[in-house]
Amino acid sequence: MDMEYISPPGKLYRKTILALFFGSFVTFADLYSTQPVIPVIAEQFHILPAKASLALSFSTGMLAICLFIISIFSGIGDRKRIMGTALTLSALCSISVSFVHSLPLLLAIRAVQGAALAGFPSIAMAYITEEFHPKSLGYVIGIYVSGSSIGGLAGRLIVGSLSDFLNWNIAIGCLGALSLLISMAFWMMLPSSKHIMANPISLRSIKSSLIHNLRNRGLLILYTIGFLLMGSFVAVYNYAGIPLMEPPYNLSQTLVGFIFIIYLAGTFSSAWMGKLADRMDRTRVISAGIMLMITGGALTLSGSIVMKIAGLTAFTFGFFGSHSIASSWVGILANKNEKAQASSFYLLFYYAGSSLIGAAGGVFLHSYGWGGVIGAAGILLASAFVLALFIGKTESAFLREDS
């Protein structure tokens, strides 16, 4: 039976992981392409940063709304086709931003892009849990999540740097052209699904899956943790560049963009902590990751730019590692026939946190400054930490109920 799964070593294993890495890269590069230019968008349209951040929140919000709908119909077609189409449409949306010169049109395109991208993340996680051997699940999802950190880094660097020489919308269009090329590579490299179970779609089956996934206490806790982690992370990164572009730092848009090199810490931590969680108690590892986020956030309150960067590095390291553990844990707790829906619920909460808390962070910045953003994120992360301590006990109870 093990031979039916994609397992290490081998060319197929390496090619499939790389394809999923590419898909994750495009998703996060396109999705967060407007984040480094929020201050520029606010200045051009004469609006507050909180309103400018809607260019990101509209995209993540639509993605969250569409995730579950996409997952319902994913069982009637090849997962590869759904994911590949999502990546291609997203790249075309980024290219179209090059021709945008009004805020309403920008928000509309970003909303469409978020809806298109909904076809990738939940389907990708279900694909991984279905096609790869369970013993390598933590590592594979860690590599997949590392693609999000590299994509987030590259997208921010490309858009942030080019916007100092070109218009910010032209910079996003250049990123879209790169995303289109990478999407073509994804189409060529990813093997089609072999273990997907094409169950007939009915209201009864949908209702049954919904009830099971929402009554499972372990899954509910993981969904909430994803909401709190992502919301805190986006709130911090949405507005981190604003105080750095003001006195006494006065950094340029290019230099602020290069701060996102910190994302490389997430590239390492997602794979390393995911593999560590395969061997150790997941509760202990994810709790350590969340505590690292809280500590890193506190360090950014220092007036020293070196301490701020060190704090953001620790914050980023903890986030990507914690997210890789939580997302792989969903696949472990979910029933075999409900993995896609469970993954969709996790990502629905995850991106809802990005949209809601990410935008709310601008209100705290306007009212209380950078300390308000960090204080709000710290409270949310402390709640996630408490839930993480409880998840081990909840998982044991769930497994006994299902045995």
Side-chain angles (χ1 to χ4, degrees):
M1 294 295 292
D2 287 356
M3 295 300 293
E4 296 180 3
Y5 291 101
I6 300 174
S7 307
K11 182 178 179 180
L12 179 63
Y13 176 78
R14 294 192 299 270
K15 187 173 72 171
T16 307
I17 286 182
L18 184 58
L20 291 166
F21 177 91
F22 281 160
S24 184
F25 178 100
V26 169
T27 299
F28 275 75
D30 284 354
L31 186 63
Y32 291 97
S33 59
T34 57
Q35 192 176 53
V37 290
I38 285 176
V40 182
I41 295 174
E43 181 180 357
Q44 177 172 328
F45 295 112
H46 308 291
I47 55 178
L48 292 174
K51 188 172 182 180
S53 71
L54 293 178
L56 175 59
S57 293
F58 267 51
S59 189
T60 55
M62 280 300 296
L63 187 149
I65 292 170
C66 295
L67 275 171
F68 182 70
I69 299 173
I70 295 293
S71 71
I72 290 175
F73 295 98
S74 67
I76 62 176
D78 187 352
R79 296 202 192 281
K80 173 182 177 178
R81 183 172 300 175
I82 297 172
M83 291 187 286
T85 301
L87 297 176
T88 304
L89 289 176
S90 174
L92 294 175
C93 284
S94 287
I95 293 172
S96 69
V97 171
S98 299
F99 307 99
V100 171
H101 300 286
S102 71
L103 183 62
L105 183 56
L106 171 64
L107 297 182
I109 292 175
R110 292 288 290 165
V112 171
Q113 187 169 38
L117 280 174
F120 185 81
S122 64
I123 306 302
M125 292 176 67
Y127 179 97
I128 291 171
T129 56
E130 290 168 351
E131 304 299 326
F132 285 88
H133 194 283
K135 290 184 178 179
S136 62
L137 197 59
Y139 178 72
V140 173
I141 290 187
I143 294 295
Y144 165 76
V145 172
S146 73
S148 69
S149 65
I150 291 289
L153 166 63
R156 289 164 171 89
L157 283 179
I158 291 170
V159 174
S161 299
L162 289 180
S163 62
D164 260 347
F165 307 98
L166 306 170
N167 290 336
W168 60 268
N169 51 336
I170 298 296
I172 292 177
C174 292
L175 175 64
L178 175 63
S179 297
L180 187 60
L181 292 175
I182 296 175
S183 298
M184 297 302 101
F186 175 88
W187 278 102
M188 292 186 290
M189 295 175 66
L190 190 80
S192 297
S193 305
K194 293 183 178 179
H195 297 280
I196 184 173
M197 298 188 68
N199 298 318
I201 297 175
S202 66
L203 290 177
R204 179 176 296 181
S205 64
I206 294 172
K207 180 180 178 180
S208 175
S209 178
L210 278 170
I211 291 174
H212 187 272
N213 283 319
L214 289 176
R215 282 183 176 176
N216 184 312
R217 291 177 298 157
L219 290 176
L220 278 175
I221 290 175
L222 290 172
Y223 300 156
T224 305
I225 288 175
F227 176 87
L228 297 172
L229 289 177
M230 186 57 162
S232 302
F233 183 74
V234 172
V236 168
Y237 267 97
N238 267 2
Y239 310 105
I242 293 176
L244 293 175
M245 295 176 71
E246 298 173 349
Y249 310 107
N250 297 314
L251 299 185
S252 68
Q253 183 66 52
T254 298
L255 289 176
V256 169
F258 271 97
I259 287 176
F260 291 104
I261 290 177
I262 292 169
Y263 264 56
L264 290 174
T267 304
F268 171 73
S269 71
S270 56
W272 180 70
M273 290 182 67
K275 193 171 185 178
L276 194 64
D278 284 339
R279 302 196 309 262
M280 297 176 57
D281 177 32
R282 293 184 186 87
T283 304
R284 188 174 300 175
V285 180
I286 194 173
S287 298
I290 296 171
M291 184 55 66
L292 189 59
M293 290 184 70
I294 295 173
T295 304
L299 287 176
T300 66
L301 296 174
S302 169
S304 166
I305 193 168
V306 174
M307 291 298 292
K308 286 182 180 292
I309 293 175
L312 282 174
T313 302
F315 185 83
T316 305
F317 189 98
F319 167 74
F320 280 102
S322 299
H323 166 50
S324 69
I325 295 169
S327 57
S328 64
W329 212 336
V330 169
I332 292 170
L333 287 186
N335 283 346
K336 182 177 181 180
N337 296 335
E338 297 171 347
K339 290 184 183 294
Q341 287 81 1
S343 296
S344 293
F345 269 119
Y346 174 81
L347 290 171
L348 187 152
F349 277 73
Y350 180 79
Y351 289 111
S354 172
S355 182
L356 298 176
I357 301 175
V363 177
F364 283 92
L365 178 71
H366 181 68
S367 301
Y368 307 106
W370 181 246
V373 176
I374 294 301
I379 293 172
L380 297 176
L381 290 172
S383 302
F385 180 81
V386 172
L387 292 174
L389 293 178
F390 186 68
I391 184 65
K393 180 180 178 180
T394 305
E395 180 187 23
S396 299
F398 169 78
L399 291 174
R400 286 197 300 270
E401 291 170 2
D402 266 22
S403 61

